[in-house]
Amino acid sequence: MWEHPYVIGLSVVSEGLALLALGLVRPWGEVVPRWVPRLRGRRIPVPAVVVPAALGAALIMMFCAYALLNEIFGFVEPMNENGDGFPTSGPAAWALWTAYAPLLAWGPLLAILTVAYHRRRRANDAS
């Protein structure tokens, strides 16, 4: 009963958090937008952006490392709705790996964006 709302909610939250990464490269990640009452135009403190982004990158990398190591070593047998394990060969396995392999880059790329944001803001604040 709760599976469908859970999956939809998880998708919305993960997409929202992924879109926040754009704030690391766009001007709205440095200054509060004009449409926000009482805060418009204020500079966003660097730690308020860097700390959550760094924690997010670390958590994503830990989760992906666990998922990859679980697939290799089989710590926990993944289950699907039929009680069977995920496909390990054939077209279904290729589709699974093709869809999920790019996610392995999300954590490291977010970490790179976070470091670049920190350096840029520190350089701008110093001048």
Side-chain angles (χ1 to χ4, degrees):
M1 178 174 169
W2 289 101
E3 288 108 7
H4 294 293
Y6 170 75
V7 171
I8 291 170
L10 185 60
S11 298
V12 168
V13 168
S14 63
E15 287 296 324
L17 291 173
L19 288 172
L20 282 177
L22 291 175
L24 296 171
V25 295
R26 302 295 303 159
W28 55 265
E30 297 180 15
V31 179
V32 179
R34 285 187 232 161
W35 56 266
V36 178
R38 290 187 284 163
L39 296 176
R40 67 185 69 172
R42 290 188 185 177
R43 293 192 53 86
I44 299 172
V46 176
V49 175
V50 171
V51 170
L55 287 173
L59 286 172
I60 291 167
M61 287 188 280
M62 289 188 313
F63 177 73
C64 287
Y66 172 76
L68 185 63
L69 292 173
N70 186 44
E71 184 66 29
I72 293 169
F73 296 111
F75 303 132
V76 178
E77 179 66 27
M79 303 296 278
N80 64 17
E81 60 193 26
N82 299 328
D84 300 328
F86 286 128
T88 56
S89 63
W94 278 101
L96 180 77
W97 280 104
T98 302
Y100 283 98
L103 292 176
L104 297 175
W106 185 10
L109 290 174
L110 182 57
I112 291 167
L113 281 178
T114 304
V115 170
Y117 177 90
H118 185 263
R119 287 181 179 171
R120 185 179 72 246
R121 288 289 305 271
R122 190 177 57 200
N124 289 344
D125 292 346
S127 48

